[in-house]
Amino acid sequence: MRILLVEDDPLLGAGISDALTRGQYAHQWVQDGAQALALALHETFDLLVLDLGLPGMDGLTVLRRLRESGQASAVLVISARNQSSDRIEGLNLGADDYISKPFEVDELLARIRALERRLAGHQRNILEKGRLQLWLDTREVRLDGQSVDLQRREYMLLRRLMESPSVIHTRGQLEGVLYGAEGDVESNSVDVHVHHLRKKLFSDVVKTIRGVGYRLGKVD
């Protein structure tokens, strides 16, 4: 499990980071909401441990924009805001769990392990949509039971679409998924990968929403 820790308090953040290291969790720690959002959209994290009171962009805004983009990573909110309205808003925006400060690090780790078990049971390391199966661990893709050879970015694009099949992804969002912070991305790069997916799989696998972006197409 790869974790993005978003906490601006240096002492608390260092304590949580040390605990994650002892728990053998691969993780990255950032202290700014805007930076956290950029990382979460451009890289793959299984879980965000997200504080709400962040400088620049607060945690609820980060969470809202993540879900609007179709990002499906689990989110565990940590916050000194212990009003029920704040907890309800966080959960309604798509948080998977909520823990109020102050808390014991052992409790936080227990909640992370619970989310890890839930994710493992839900995903089974396979995404299945109609005629398609996509393995998250081996990166194998099958169409009607037959293996299909996809290049790395073709696989990344298909995975993002299958993770959130009803979400329309803009060209800019998909460029972020495929290329991260790389510069000089060709203006038609997403179109090229979409074309290859349609050629290797079938023509309706990616639906173009004119003037908006792309989403998963008809896969039954």
Side-chain angles (χ1 to χ4, degrees), residues 72-85:
S73 299
V75 176
L76 170 56
V77 168
I78 56 175
S79 179
R81 305 178 189 176
N82 50 22
Q83 296 289 329
S84 62
S85 59

Side-chain angles (χ1 to χ4, degrees):
M1 171 176 267
R2 186 168 183 238
I3 298 174
L4 178 60
L5 169 61
V6 191
E7 172 57 65
D8 66 318
D9 184 305
L11 290 178
L12 179 58
I16 296 174
S17 180
D18 288 345
L20 292 175
T21 298
R22 291 195 303 271
Q24 299 185 340
Y25 287 109
H27 68 282
Q28 188 167 347
W29 173 26
V30 297
Q31 302 180 37
D32 175 85
Q35 183 183 5
L37 180 63
L39 276 172
L41 292 177
H42 295 162
E43 300 186 24
T44 301
F45 294 94
D46 301 292
L47 171 66
L48 274 69
V49 178
L50 177 65
D51 185 28
L52 294 188
L54 298 168
M57 179 184 296
D58 68 26
L60 287 176
T61 301
V62 173
L63 178 56
R64 180 184 299 109
R65 294 190 180 180
L66 278 177
R67 294 312 190 220
E68 288 174 348
S69 75
Q71 176 56 257
S73 299
V75 176
L76 170 56
V77 168
I78 56 175
S79 179
R81 305 178 189 176
N82 50 22
Q83 296 289 329
S84 62
S85 59
D86 291 315
R87 291 195 295 273
I88 291 170
E89 183 175 6
L91 293 170
N92 283 339
L93 286 173
D96 297 270
D97 198 0
Y98 192 112
I99 185 171
S100 297
K101 298 178 183 178
F103 53 82
E104 297 291 335
V105 172
D106 285 345
E107 181 185 357
L108 178 66
L109 291 176
R111 293 187 182 226
I112 289 173
R113 287 192 293 270
L115 285 171
E116 187 175 19
R117 289 192 298 271
R118 187 191 309 172
L119 290 171
H122 174 67
Q123 290 182 342
R124 298 182 297 131
N125 286 324
I126 302 175
L127 292 175
E128 296 183 83
K129 299 294 179 186
R131 303 166 61 194
L132 293 172
Q133 291 180 314
L134 182 148
W135 273 257
L136 302 176
D137 49 359
T138 63
R139 294 192 174 187
E140 181 183 4
V141 173
R142 292 184 183 179
L143 170 65
D144 297 330
Q146 299 298 313
S147 183
V148 179
D149 183 24
L150 297 184
Q151 298 298 314
R152 182 173 66 90
R153 288 196 170 99
E154 295 164 4
Y155 170 90
M156 292 169 64
L157 175 58
L158 181 63
R159 173 175 174 172
R160 174 51 63 94
L161 296 177
M162 289 180 66
E163 285 176 333
S164 47
S166 63
V167 173
I168 300 172
H169 304 271
T170 67
R171 184 186 304 274
Q173 289 169 343
L174 293 177
E175 287 177 352
V177 170
L178 300 177
Y179 296 96
E182 294 181 22
D184 300 324
V185 177
E186 296 290 336
S187 61
N188 68 336
S189 59
V190 173
D191 298 313
V192 170
H193 296 309
V194 167
H195 171 75
H196 288 163
L197 282 181
R198 288 170 173 164
K199 185 175 181 180
K200 292 182 177 183
L201 296 170
F202 49 93
S203 60
D204 294 335
V205 67
V206 181
K207 182 175 179 59
T208 301
I209 310 300
R210 294 192 179 278
V212 183
Y214 303 92
R215 66 170 175 81
L216 191 68
K218 185 177 180 181
V219 295
D220 296 331

